Amino acid sequence: MDTDTQDRAQAAPRALATEAVHAGRDDLAGLGLHAPPIDLSTTYPSYDSAAEAARIDAFAATGLLPDGPPVYARLDNPTVGRFETALARLEGAADAVAFASGMAALTAVLLARASAGLRHVVAVRPLYGCSDHLLDAGLLGTEVTWVDPAGIADALRPDTGLVIVETPANPTLAEVDVRAVAHACGSVPLLVDNTFATPVLQRPLEQGARIVMHSATKYLGGHGDVMGGVVACDDAFARQLRQVRFATGGVLHPLAGYLLLRGLSTLPVRMRAAAGSAAELARRLAADPRVARVHYPKVGGAMVSFEVNGDPHRVIAGVRLITPAVSLGSVDTLIQHPASISHRIVAEGDRRSAGVSDRLLRLSVGLEDVEDLWSDLSRALSAPPATPARTVPAPAKPAARTTDAPVREPSAAGR
Ligand SMILES: *Cc1c(COP(=O)(O)O)cnc(C)c1O
């Protein structure tokens, strides 16, 4: 075997569906267990302070987790560690580091790069509303340049620490060519937010990305009852992320780690089933005269976005089976109006130029029967005008922002 073949054989000896069920659990039979144990300890006994000091020093210097029992739950937790191992396997990564939320994960990545003096970020819109806001507001001392994928190479500077893309992007489902973008990044690490596709449909590290992040709150958990974030990457960056996590404290709770590990075991079947319904709904919406435009990505998946000819607020008010709510990736179908909710925090001009029109609705398709979903959606599309009490007025002014930064003109990133 050549080295490549050997590497592949070692990195991916089992199919994704098998890894989803077994990764992070390989030691259980040896422990005489079937379900993974939940370790809720915040601290661990140690009768040898000198040895403990050496273990803490080693972590501080290298970011490597100490051998033996954990020291304190902000360094490391065995239940969370199982989820990290499993997610790394699914993404084909050397390691993964879990956080309290997707935003805590992105924060840790930005801080890890900024602490190396690399404070400049190049990013492609649209991104999830709060990711956009975190970068645009410069809250973490980073500076962002927004570009088209074609403008990435020209936007790189000596202090550029990261390039960020989402594909398919929230909420327009716009896709970027990860291979081409990774090439344009040169030696600057490319972070792909893989929340929408999940490793079931797309493994960005195989296409040249260096860092993959997820809002685990969405498909990885999959049941709308756990919040988390995770970053899959190489060993060196994982060690830096663990040091940042220790210092800043955005840890994933062990119960959340347990639920996320359990979520992974059904991720492939959930994703394929929901994606089948989503593709069918996208087809019907595209043929429907009440709908102006449908966005459904080439990579597939369970998200569909569409622009209605009428009032989008009527559709939201008109659904009965589908839940009008922010978030996505659950077993039940959710719908929301990005301009009002998920992307509200992005300035109106930036939102519009990124393709987030005021008529856009974002549908996260769940596991219900597709005919039931279509009849609910179809009835909502014909809903009578909302009663005044339920009408959500269109914003008269640019969206509220938490900084007083001037609203920029629409950038070239719009589509
Ligand atoms: C929800 C979301 C996030 C943020 O994740 P939280 O878990 O809500 O902090 C980041 N990126 C994408 C694409 C998302 O959909």
Side-chain angles (χ1 to χ4, degrees), residues 252-313:
L252 187 72
H253 192 276
L255 287 175
Y258 176 89
L259 288 170
L260 291 175
L261 181 67
R262 185 157 86 164
L264 288 186
S265 58
T266 55
L267 178 65
V269 285
R270 280 189 285 109
M271 188 45 100
R272 293 205 177 96
S277 298
E280 176 60 22
L281 293 175
R283 199 184 59 70
R284 294 187 193 185
L285 287 166
D288 196 297
R290 296 165 295 181
V291 174
R293 194 167 166 207
V294 176
H295 307 259
Y296 186 69
K298 286 197 190 72
V299 73
M303 302 298 297
V304 182
S305 294
F306 56 101
E307 284 150 58
V308 290
N309 286 320
D311 175 6
H313 301 294

Side-chain angles (χ1 to χ4, degrees), residues 369-405:
D369 185 89
V370 69
E371 298 302 336
D372 290 335
L373 289 175
W374 176 247
S375 59
D376 194 41
L377 199 54
S378 183
R379 187 178 45 238
L381 280 166
S382 295
T387 57
R390 299 192 81 159
T391 304
V392 180
K397 296 181 300 194
R401 289 165 62 80
T402 56
T403 71
D404 55 5

Side-chain angles (χ1 to χ4, degrees), residues 152-215:
I152 289 174
D154 285 345
L156 300 178
R157 311 193 314 213
D159 65 338
T160 306
L162 197 65
V163 175
I164 302 183
V165 301
E166 252 178 54
T167 180
N170 189 347
T172 60
L173 307 178
E175 289 174 279
V176 303
D177 177 343
V178 174
R179 253 178 236 287
V181 164
H183 182 73
C185 292
S187 62
V188 177
L190 170 65
L191 179 150
V192 174
D193 185 330
N194 203 25
T195 298
F196 275 30
T198 81
V200 175
L201 300 177
Q202 160 179 290
R203 307 217 302 170
L205 299 178
E206 288 171 355
Q207 298 173 46
R210 300 260 293 280
I211 303 167
V212 165
M213 83 160 248
H214 285 270
S215 168

Side-chain angles (χ1 to χ4, degrees), residues 5-25:
T5 320
Q6 248 165 21
D7 282 348
R8 268 199 305 277
Q10 279 162 12
R14 302 188 290 202
L16 186 104
T18 309
E19 289 287 13
V21 175
H22 288 279
R25 301 166 186 248

Side-chain angles (χ1 to χ4, degrees), residues 101-103 128 166 170 193 195-196 215 217-218 227-228 328:
S101 67
M103 293 316 301
Y128 170 66
E166 252 178 54
N170 189 347
D193 185 330
T195 298
F196 275 30
S215 168
T217 313
K218 316 293 171 53
M227 178 156 265
L328 57 113

